[in-house]
Amino acid sequence: NAGVMQNPRHLVRRRGQEARLRCSPMKGHSHVYWYRQLPEEGLKFMVYLQKENIIDESGMPKERFSAEFPKEGPSILRIQQVVRGDSAAYFCASSSGGDEKLFFGSGTQLSVL
Amino acid sequence: EDQVTQSPEALRLQEGESSSLNCSYTVSGLRGLFWYRQDPGKGPEFLFTLYSAGEEKEKERLKATLTKKESFLHITAPKPEDSATYLCAVTSGDYKLSFGAGTTVTVRA
């Protein structure tokens, strides 16, 4: 039973480049959440998506960040024109809906040079 | 805004030395409090959900309890494999979790 799959595990980008982070939820899960973890800080909610719908993006910066969860394929978190402050671990989680029990992937560590 | 404070930040234990981790929270209408375990380089792994004051959950050497203002994670006779960062989170809605910064537990053999 495959868990939540994220790739890449590590991503290095130079300032101004684009970063694309992918997340495939657990089999049978249609709810996807993205969280960001900065050093010495707790995980911060970014966005909640269901297939083809953004349900809540209140935790996501209004500029440069976008997320999608298409009908087919993984969920994508896209960061345009990255800056050093975007360096963090980005975690994706999924659920079957109906309760708050989330299953997390292993994360993507984004480093901006 | 929901707030979660965990203490201590770090805890070093000898194998077999029981201890407790604290999670204090401020939330407008608690719907659930969650404990997760996170190993280095990995995502959080679900441990427990608590819903109401007085509730307790157990799993192996771990026991979680909940009051109206805080939760405790008790580790009984820990082993080195219990070394990890333990995260507490709360939700007042349907899906958005607010996490604490975690307590890093190191158990020495």
Side-chain angles (χ1 to χ4, degrees):
Chain A
N1 217 5
V4 178
M5 304 300 293
Q6 289 189 249
N7 66 82
R9 287 298 312 276
H10 302 276
L11 183 61
V12 179
R13 284 288 177 266
R14 297 190 180 279
R15 281 179 297 171
Q17 292 184 318
E18 178 179 288
R20 282 186 177 237
L21 288 61
R22 296 175 188 77
C23 169
S24 296
M26 280 184 69
K27 187 175 181 180
H29 285 187
S30 59
H31 300 245
V32 167
Y33 315 79
W34 286 92
Y35 282 77
R36 177 164 65 175
Q37 188 173 41
L38 293 166
E40 311 304 323
E41 293 187 22
L43 287 150
K44 302 291 185 189
F45 169 83
M46 297 182 73
V47 62
Y48 163 39
L49 311 104
Q50 295 180 22
K51 284 284 187 183
E52 300 184 278
N53 284 304
I54 297 174
I55 307 302
D56 182 349
E57 56 183 348
S58 60
M60 202 155 65
K62 295 205 179 339
E63 296 184 0
R64 302 188 298 107
F65 286 72
S66 62
E68 62 177 11
F69 188 16
K71 186 176 180 180
E72 301 289 340
S75 174
I76 305 287
L77 179 66
R78 181 183 179 202
I79 311 173
Q80 295 178 291
Q81 299 175 332
V82 296
V83 301
R84 290 218 172 107
D86 297 332
S87 296
Y90 292 83
F91 289 95
C92 170
S94 72
S95 76
S96 57
D99 64 41
E100 300 86 0
K101 183 176 176 179
L102 302 185
F103 293 84
F104 283 83
S106 293
T108 293
Q109 181 65 51
L110 173 66
S111 299
V112 180
L113 304 179
Chain B
E1 185 177 321
D2 301 344
Q3 291 194 331
V4 179
T5 303
Q6 292 188 246
S7 63
E9 290 184 13
L11 190 60
R12 295 176 66 86
L13 301 171
Q14 280 293 136
E15 185 172 3
E17 178 188 1
S18 301
S19 188
S20 295
L21 285 56
N22 177 265
C23 170
S24 298
Y25 62 89
T26 303
V27 62
S28 54
L30 180 72
R31 282 197 49 155
L33 183 141
F34 302 80
W35 283 98
Y36 283 83
R37 169 191 171 127
Q38 186 174 23
D39 292 299
K42 295 195 175 180
E45 176 187 345
F46 173 81
L47 292 174
F48 304 110
T49 309
L50 301 167
Y51 293 103
S52 56
E55 190 174 357
E56 298 183 352
K57 295 267 179 80
E58 282 190 72
K59 180 180 179 180
E60 296 180 359
R61 295 176 292 282
L62 300 177
K63 179 180 177 180
T65 62
L66 180 64
T67 72
K68 287 187 177 179
K69 293 186 177 181
E70 57 191 350
S71 176
F72 293 93
L73 183 66
H74 307 278
I75 310 178
T76 302
K79 298 182 178 182
E81 53 262 42
D82 295 321
S83 297
T85 296
Y86 291 87
L87 303 173
C88 174
V90 298
T91 184
S92 57
D94 290 331
Y95 50 82
K96 193 183 300 184
L97 298 185
S98 297
F99 281 86
T103 294
T104 299
V105 175
T106 304
V107 182
R108 294 167 291 176

